[in-house]
Amino acid sequence: MKIAMIALAGSVTLGLVPAVSSPAAAHPIKNTTLTGNRLYDVGPLPTTSCPERPVKKNNAASAKSYLAGVLRCADRSWTAQLRKAGLKRSGMKLVYADKVPAKFCGLKWRKDDFNAYYCDETHTLLIVLTKDLLEAPGDLFLFNLVATYYGEHVQNGAGIYRAWMNLDSRNKAEFSEQNRRYNLQAYCFGGAFIRSVWKSLHRSSEDWDDLLYYLRGWASKAGGSRKSITYWADAGFRSGDPGSCNTWTAPSSKVT
């Protein structure tokens, strides 16, 4: 998940924002690329098939094959959706590492980056195939890893990333909320894609509930609370529609 590395309120930097005793209510976001993006108006993602490839425990080669298969499915579905919305599309590249890098995309690797990071400048997703990630590959975690970070790629293609980076903030609380709105939308886009291929996965509702439980472990100040992550990922999954993922007009109580 990302944190916007931008100045706050004009020339005021993050380190110089005065402390506030309680977070002020966020002022409305008026950028229509965020609040009224064309992607919200073209309906649910097309229902397609994306059968999961076999993946073996502690086997990096089979995990790569699995992840590459999910990427092809996500690329196919979102390409059609972006085209329908009249938005430009570029492919996402997937690369791997066997240990956490010191830096990626010109930035120091942060603990909040977990097992993956999407680089908006190069349209590249790096997934770190750690021992923990390969230990139990039978659940939906690997599938969702690509689905959620492809959500960031969609935000990039739809102009949402650039618009978010250019937002002004009055204080640290508002800055943090804007970060959460951005990251929570990627969870929702990921859920919408999973819904679009759900029948072909031959998974049960318990599998989805288990995934939501794992996603709560991604909670952070920038990424969102356990409650908010669950809410937005599930909103995308229940509807299959990016239009349900407009975090930019949601009340502050929904993006904690």
Side-chain angles (χ1 to χ4, degrees):
M1 298 292 102
K2 286 186 170 59
I3 296 177
M5 299 298 184
I6 56 177
L8 301 179
S11 61
V12 180
T13 62
L14 179 59
L16 298 178
V17 174
V20 290
S21 58
S22 61
H27 70 283
I29 294 172
K30 298 179 180 179
N31 188 312
T32 55
T33 300
L34 301 173
T35 62
N37 198 281
R38 285 178 284 174
L39 191 60
Y40 307 151
D41 298 326
V42 292
L45 283 161
T47 299
T48 57
S49 178
C50 188
E52 293 180 89
R53 291 170 173 262
V55 56
K56 301 176 183 177
K57 180 179 179 179
N58 297 322
N59 187 300
S62 67
K64 289 178 182 179
S65 177
Y66 178 97
L67 292 163
V70 181
L71 175 61
R72 285 191 291 272
C73 294
D75 195 55
R76 181 179 65 240
S77 294
W78 281 111
T79 294
Q81 198 75 357
L82 288 166
R83 185 182 297 121
K84 193 188 303 184
L87 297 166
K88 293 182 179 180
R89 172 264 177 196
S90 59
M92 185 175 81
K93 183 179 180 182
L94 182 56
V95 297
Y96 307 96
D98 57 8
K99 62 180 179 180
V100 172
K103 295 179 70 175
F104 178 67
C105 196
L107 299 170
K108 184 179 179 181
W109 194 270
R110 301 171 58 255
K111 65 178 182 178
D112 287 349
D113 297 330
F114 302 104
N115 296 103
Y117 189 88
Y118 171 71
C119 182
D120 296 89
E121 288 72 24
T122 63
H123 300 170
T124 301
L125 172 63
L126 171 64
I127 295 180
V128 184
L129 297 174
T130 61
K131 181 179 179 180
D132 289 344
L133 192 65
L134 297 174
E135 182 67 27
D139 53 41
L140 277 171
F141 191 85
L142 287 178
F143 199 100
N144 183 74
L145 201 60
V146 174
T148 297
Y149 283 95
Y150 204 99
E152 285 197 28
H153 183 60
V154 171
Q155 289 174 303
N156 194 0
I160 293 170
Y161 168 73
R162 185 56 54 193
W164 163 64
M165 289 291 288
N166 290 332
L167 285 175
D168 289 327
S169 304
R170 298 174 301 174
N171 51 54
K172 288 193 291 185
E174 192 165 77
F175 178 75
S176 295
E177 181 177 297
Q178 290 171 357
N179 285 330
R180 293 194 298 273
R181 289 183 187 276
Y182 180 82
N183 289 318
L184 289 167
Q185 185 172 55
Y187 286 112
C188 190
F189 283 167
F193 165 66
I194 293 175
R195 165 57 69 185
S196 74
V197 298
W198 185 250
K199 288 184 179 179
S200 67
L201 301 183
H202 303 294
R203 295 278 190 165
S204 68
S205 59
E206 286 77 16
D207 287 310
W208 176 249
D209 290 339
D210 287 344
L211 177 61
L212 290 179
Y213 175 79
Y214 295 137
L215 285 180
R216 293 178 190 124
W218 286 8
S220 68
K221 186 176 181 179
S225 67
R226 293 160 61 95
K227 181 179 179 180
S228 291
I229 289 172
T230 301
Y231 174 83
W232 287 104
D234 201 48
F237 180 75
R238 298 300 169 190
S239 69
D241 189 343
S244 68
C245 300
N246 189 351
T247 57
W248 303 102
T249 57
S252 296
S253 61
K254 294 294 186 182
V255 291
T256 57

